[in-house]
PDB file of all heavy atoms in Angstrom:
ATOM      1  N   LYS A 298     131.692 170.278 291.267  1.00 44.00           N
ATOM      2  CA  LYS A 298     131.838 169.058 292.162  1.00 44.00           C
ATOM      3  C   LYS A 298     132.043 169.494 293.573  1.00 44.00           C
ATOM      4  O   LYS A 298     132.618 170.615 293.846  1.00 44.00           O
ATOM      5  CB  LYS A 298     133.094 168.287 291.637  1.00 44.00           C
ATOM      6  CG  LYS A 298     132.986 167.740 290.251  1.00 44.00           C
ATOM      7  CD  LYS A 298     134.096 166.906 289.839  1.00 44.00           C
ATOM      8  CE  LYS A 298     134.042 166.294 288.528  1.00 44.00           C
ATOM      9  NZ  LYS A 298     135.208 165.431 288.192  1.00 44.00           N
ATOM     10  N   THR A 299     131.526 168.713 294.474  1.00 54.00           N
ATOM     11  CA  THR A 299     131.590 168.924 295.891  1.00 54.00           C
ATOM     12  C   THR A 299     131.658 167.740 296.642  1.00 54.00           C
ATOM     13  O   THR A 299     131.048 166.719 296.210  1.00 54.00           O
ATOM     14  CB  THR A 299     130.444 169.873 296.415  1.00 54.00           C
ATOM     15  OG1 THR A 299     130.576 170.015 297.797  1.00 54.00           O
ATOM     16  CG2 THR A 299     128.986 169.135 295.992  1.00 54.00           C
ATOM     17  N   ASP A 300     132.324 167.603 297.830  1.00 78.00           N
ATOM     18  CA  ASP A 300     132.378 166.499 298.672  1.00 78.00           C
ATOM     19  C   ASP A 300     131.183 166.511 299.695  1.00 78.00           C
ATOM     20  O   ASP A 300     131.021 165.594 300.396  1.00 78.00           O
ATOM     21  CB  ASP A 300     133.676 166.481 299.408  1.00 78.00           C
ATOM     22  CG  ASP A 300     134.782 166.165 298.412  1.00 78.00           C
ATOM     23  OD1 ASP A 300     134.632 165.540 297.436  1.00 78.00           O
ATOM     24  OD2 ASP A 300     135.925 166.699 298.762  1.00 78.00           O
ATOM     25  N   LYS A 301     130.488 167.647 299.700  1.00 93.00           N
ATOM     26  CA  LYS A 301     129.306 167.737 300.597  1.00 93.00           C
ATOM     27  C   LYS A 301     128.119 166.873 300.101  1.00 93.00           C
ATOM     28  O   LYS A 301     127.978 166.599 298.929  1.00 93.00           O
ATOM     29  CB  LYS A 301     128.902 169.158 300.740  1.00 93.00           C
ATOM     30  CG  LYS A 301     129.953 170.042 301.393  1.00 93.00           C
ATOM     31  CD  LYS A 301     129.328 171.452 301.595  1.00 93.00           C
ATOM     32  CE  LYS A 301     130.304 172.334 302.409  1.00 93.00           C
ATOM     33  NZ  LYS A 301     129.741 173.760 302.600  1.00 93.00           N
ATOM     34  N   PRO A 302     127.290 166.383 301.078  1.00 97.00           N
ATOM     35  CA  PRO A 302     126.182 165.625 300.586  1.00 97.00           C
ATOM     36  C   PRO A 302     125.160 166.444 299.791  1.00 97.00           C
ATOM     37  O   PRO A 302     125.102 167.623 299.908  1.00 97.00           O
ATOM     38  CB  PRO A 302     125.620 165.139 301.866  1.00 97.00           C
ATOM     39  CG  PRO A 302     125.941 166.117 302.954  1.00 97.00           C
ATOM     40  CD  PRO A 302     127.335 166.571 302.493  1.00 97.00           C
ATOM     41  N   ILE A 303     124.393 165.687 299.000  1.00 98.00           N
ATOM     42  CA  ILE A 303     123.302 166.262 298.184  1.00 98.00           C
ATOM     43  C   ILE A 303     122.033 166.249 299.061  1.00 98.00           C
ATOM     44  O   ILE A 303     121.609 165.110 299.500  1.00 98.00           O
ATOM     45  CB  ILE A 303     123.141 165.600 296.847  1.00 98.00           C
ATOM     46  CG1 ILE A 303     124.404 165.724 295.991  1.00 98.00           C
ATOM     47  CG2 ILE A 303     121.839 166.097 296.137  1.00 98.00           C
ATOM     48  CD1 ILE A 303     124.476 164.921 294.799  1.00 98.00           C
ATOM     49  N   LEU A 304     121.425 167.370 299.420  1.00 98.00           N
ATOM     50  CA  LEU A 304     120.249 167.379 300.193  1.00 98.00           C
ATOM     51  C   LEU A 304     119.032 167.296 299.307  1.00 98.00           C
ATOM     52  O   LEU A 304     118.953 168.019 298.313  1.00 98.00           O
ATOM     53  CB  LEU A 304     120.269 168.762 301.038  1.00 98.00           C
ATOM     54  CG  LEU A 304     118.935 169.076 301.719  1.00 98.00           C
ATOM     55  CD1 LEU A 304     118.661 168.089 302.740  1.00 98.00           C
ATOM     56  CD2 LEU A 304     119.073 170.507 302.294  1.00 98.00           C
ATOM     57  N   ILE A 305     118.067 166.424 299.620  1.00 98.00           N
ATOM     58  CA  ILE A 305     116.802 166.348 298.930  1.00 98.00           C
ATOM     59  C   ILE A 305     115.685 166.564 299.869  1.00 98.00           C
ATOM     60  O   ILE A 305     115.412 165.724 300.705  1.00 98.00           O
ATOM     61  CB  ILE A 305     116.593 164.933 298.156  1.00 98.00           C
ATOM     62  CG1 ILE A 305     117.854 164.623 297.310  1.00 98.00           C
ATOM     63  CG2 ILE A 305     115.375 164.989 297.278  1.00 98.00           C
ATOM     64  CD1 ILE A 305     117.736 163.254 296.720  1.00 98.00           C
ATOM     65  N   THR A 306     115.033 167.728 299.792  1.00 98.00           N
ATOM     66  CA  THR A 306     113.843 167.918 300.629  1.00 98.00           C
ATOM     67  C   THR A 306     112.679 167.254 300.072  1.00 98.00           C
ATOM     68  O   THR A 306     112.502 167.210 298.780  1.00 98.00           O
ATOM     69  CB  THR A 306     113.568 169.441 300.836  1.00 98.00           C
ATOM     70  OG1 THR A 306     112.989 169.926 299.608  1.00 98.00           O
ATOM     71  CG2 THR A 306     114.717 170.299 301.205  1.00 98.00           C
ATOM     72  N   GLY A 307     111.914 166.601 300.833  1.00 97.00           N
ATOM     73  CA  GLY A 307     110.855 165.648 300.290  1.00 97.00           C
ATOM     74  C   GLY A 307     111.381 164.414 299.640  1.00 97.00           C
ATOM     75  O   GLY A 307     110.902 163.807 298.792  1.00 97.00           O
ATOM     76  N   GLY A 308     112.580 164.111 300.167  1.00 97.00           N
ATOM     77  CA  GLY A 308     113.367 163.023 299.471  1.00 97.00           C
ATOM     78  C   GLY A 308     112.857 161.543 299.623  1.00 97.00           C
ATOM     79  O   GLY A 308     113.274 160.714 298.924  1.00 97.00           O
ATOM     80  N   ALA A 309     111.846 161.405 300.571  1.00 96.00           N
ATOM     81  CA  ALA A 309     111.229 160.071 300.653  1.00 96.00           C
ATOM     82  C   ALA A 309     110.043 159.959 299.684  1.00 96.00           C
ATOM     83  O   ALA A 309     109.517 158.848 299.697  1.00 96.00           O
ATOM     84  CB  ALA A 309     110.821 159.784 302.094  1.00 96.00           C
ATOM     85  N   GLY A 310     109.728 160.921 298.995  1.00 94.00           N
ATOM     86  CA  GLY A 310     108.615 160.892 298.039  1.00 94.00           C
ATOM     87  C   GLY A 310     109.060 160.154 296.743  1.00 94.00           C
ATOM     88  O   GLY A 310     110.257 159.713 296.654  1.00 94.00           O
ATOM     89  N   PHE A 311     108.147 160.068 295.896  1.00 94.00           N
ATOM     90  CA  PHE A 311     108.350 159.304 294.609  1.00 94.00           C
ATOM     91  C   PHE A 311     109.588 159.850 293.824  1.00 94.00           C
ATOM     92  O   PHE A 311     110.457 159.061 293.469  1.00 94.00           O
ATOM     93  CB  PHE A 311     107.060 159.411 293.874  1.00 94.00           C
ATOM     94  CG  PHE A 311     107.126 159.314 292.316  1.00 94.00           C
ATOM     95  CD1 PHE A 311     107.795 158.292 291.725  1.00 94.00           C
ATOM     96  CD2 PHE A 311     106.604 160.457 291.613  1.00 94.00           C
ATOM     97  CE1 PHE A 311     107.889 158.322 290.275  1.00 94.00           C
ATOM     98  CE2 PHE A 311     106.680 160.433 290.179  1.00 94.00           C
ATOM     99  CZ  PHE A 311     107.347 159.392 289.518  1.00 94.00           C
ATOM    100  N   ILE A 312     109.615 161.085 293.549  1.00 96.00           N
ATOM    101  CA  ILE A 312     110.699 161.589 292.730  1.00 96.00           C
ATOM    102  C   ILE A 312     112.017 161.582 293.497  1.00 96.00           C
ATOM    103  O   ILE A 312     113.032 161.182 292.952  1.00 96.00           O
ATOM    104  CB  ILE A 312     110.330 163.038 292.204  1.00 96.00           C
ATOM    105  CG1 ILE A 312     109.189 162.988 291.218  1.00 96.00           C
ATOM    106  CG2 ILE A 312     111.604 163.710 291.535  1.00 96.00           C
ATOM    107  CD1 ILE A 312     108.708 164.400 290.685  1.00 96.00           C
ATOM    108  N   GLY A 313     111.852 161.951 294.777  1.00 97.00           N
ATOM    109  CA  GLY A 313     113.178 162.039 295.620  1.00 97.00           C
ATOM    110  C   GLY A 313     113.771 160.628 295.771  1.00 97.00           C
ATOM    111  O   GLY A 313     114.964 160.527 295.700  1.00 97.00           O
ATOM    112  N   THR A 314     112.879 159.556 295.835  1.00 97.00           N
ATOM    113  CA  THR A 314     113.470 158.304 296.064  1.00 97.00           C
ATOM    114  C   THR A 314     114.179 157.828 294.674  1.00 97.00           C
ATOM    115  O   THR A 314     115.312 157.257 294.845  1.00 97.00           O
ATOM    116  CB  THR A 314     112.299 157.333 296.329  1.00 97.00           C
ATOM    117  OG1 THR A 314     111.668 157.598 297.486  1.00 97.00           O
ATOM    118  CG2 THR A 314     112.787 155.833 296.354  1.00 97.00           C
ATOM    119  N   ASN A 315     113.655 158.067 293.578  1.00 98.00           N
ATOM    120  CA  ASN A 315     114.360 157.740 292.289  1.00 98.00           C
ATOM    121  C   ASN A 315     115.665 158.405 292.134  1.00 98.00           C
ATOM    122  O   ASN A 315     116.561 157.917 291.722  1.00 98.00           O
ATOM    123  CB  ASN A 315     113.353 157.929 291.153  1.00 98.00           C
ATOM    124  CG  ASN A 315     112.337 156.841 291.050  1.00 98.00           C
ATOM    125  OD1 ASN A 315     112.555 155.820 290.446  1.00 98.00           O
ATOM    126  ND2 ASN A 315     111.131 157.097 291.626  1.00 98.00           N
ATOM    127  N   LEU A 316     115.599 159.774 292.456  1.00 98.00           N
ATOM    128  CA  LEU A 316     116.794 160.587 292.373  1.00 98.00           C
ATOM    129  C   LEU A 316     117.858 160.115 293.369  1.00 98.00           C
ATOM    130  O   LEU A 316     119.026 159.990 293.025  1.00 98.00           O
ATOM    131  CB  LEU A 316     116.471 162.009 292.623  1.00 98.00           C
ATOM    132  CG  LEU A 316     117.556 163.014 292.626  1.00 98.00           C
ATOM    133  CD1 LEU A 316     118.416 162.999 291.286  1.00 98.00           C
ATOM    134  CD2 LEU A 316     117.232 164.410 292.898  1.00 98.00           C
ATOM    135  N   ALA A 317     117.456 159.964 294.649  1.00 98.00           N
ATOM    136  CA  ALA A 317     118.387 159.507 295.699  1.00 98.00           C
ATOM    137  C   ALA A 317     119.043 158.225 295.349  1.00 98.00           C
ATOM    138  O   ALA A 317     120.344 157.973 295.499  1.00 98.00           O
ATOM    139  CB  ALA A 317     117.700 159.336 297.018  1.00 98.00           C
ATOM    140  N   ASP A 318     118.288 157.292 294.808  1.00 98.00           N
ATOM    141  CA  ASP A 318     118.819 155.972 294.338  1.00 98.00           C
ATOM    142  C   ASP A 318     119.903 156.178 293.302  1.00 98.00           C
ATOM    143  O   ASP A 318     120.971 155.578 293.399  1.00 98.00           O
ATOM    144  CB  ASP A 318     117.674 155.102 293.842  1.00 98.00           C
ATOM    145  CG  ASP A 318     118.183 153.706 293.351  1.00 98.00           C
ATOM    146  OD1 ASP A 318     118.848 153.107 294.259  1.00 98.00           O
ATOM    147  OD2 ASP A 318     117.806 153.317 292.285  1.00 98.00           O
ATOM    148  N   ARG A 319     119.615 156.988 292.277  1.00 98.00           N
ATOM    149  CA  ARG A 319     120.563 157.170 291.252  1.00 98.00           C
ATOM    150  C   ARG A 319     121.822 157.840 291.671  1.00 98.00           C
ATOM    151  O   ARG A 319     122.922 157.456 291.314  1.00 98.00           O
ATOM    152  CB  ARG A 319     119.903 157.996 290.116  1.00 98.00           C
ATOM    153  CG  ARG A 319     120.844 158.320 288.925  1.00 98.00           C
ATOM    154  CD  ARG A 319     120.847 157.274 287.937  1.00 98.00           C
ATOM    155  NE  ARG A 319     119.519 157.172 287.265  1.00 98.00           N
ATOM    156  CZ  ARG A 319     119.237 158.009 286.219  1.00 98.00           C
ATOM    157  NH1 ARG A 319     120.055 158.842 285.730  1.00 98.00           N
ATOM    158  NH2 ARG A 319     118.064 157.829 285.647  1.00 98.00           N
ATOM    159  N   LEU A 320     121.702 158.834 292.556  1.00 98.00           N
ATOM    160  CA  LEU A 320     122.826 159.525 293.100  1.00 98.00           C
ATOM    161  C   LEU A 320     123.698 158.662 293.986  1.00 98.00           C
ATOM    162  O   LEU A 320     124.982 158.709 293.859  1.00 98.00           O
ATOM    163  CB  LEU A 320     122.296 160.779 293.896  1.00 98.00           C
ATOM    164  CG  LEU A 320     121.763 162.027 293.194  1.00 98.00           C
ATOM    165  CD1 LEU A 320     121.102 162.952 294.107  1.00 98.00           C
ATOM    166  CD2 LEU A 320     122.757 162.629 292.312  1.00 98.00           C
ATOM    167  N   ALA A 321     123.092 157.858 294.822  1.00 97.00           N
ATOM    168  CA  ALA A 321     123.808 156.999 295.708  1.00 97.00           C
ATOM    169  C   ALA A 321     124.511 155.920 294.925  1.00 97.00           C
ATOM    170  O   ALA A 321     125.676 155.538 295.178  1.00 97.00           O
ATOM    171  CB  ALA A 321     122.865 156.271 296.694  1.00 97.00           C
ATOM    172  N   LEU A 322     123.931 155.421 293.855  1.00 97.00           N
ATOM    173  CA  LEU A 322     124.577 154.438 292.910  1.00 97.00           C
ATOM    174  C   LEU A 322     125.815 155.053 292.267  1.00 97.00           C
ATOM    175  O   LEU A 322     126.725 154.287 292.020  1.00 97.00           O
ATOM    176  CB  LEU A 322     123.554 153.922 291.887  1.00 97.00           C
ATOM    177  CG  LEU A 322     122.554 152.955 292.430  1.00 97.00           C
ATOM    178  CD1 LEU A 322     121.488 152.680 291.246  1.00 97.00           C
ATOM    179  CD2 LEU A 322     123.154 151.651 292.833  1.00 97.00           C
ATOM    180  N   SER A 323     125.727 156.325 292.021  1.00 96.00           N
ATOM    181  CA  SER A 323     126.925 157.015 291.384  1.00 96.00           C
ATOM    182  C   SER A 323     128.032 157.354 292.381  1.00 96.00           C
ATOM    183  O   SER A 323     129.084 157.847 291.997  1.00 96.00           O
ATOM    184  CB  SER A 323     126.464 158.192 290.711  1.00 96.00           C
ATOM    185  OG  SER A 323     126.093 159.282 291.610  1.00 96.00           O
TER     186      SER A 323
END
């Protein structure tokens, strides 16, 4: 566990968007 943000390179792409959405929802 960490309080630091999760970095997603290429995060505006298809896979990054779906992952970012799930992470932010959590």
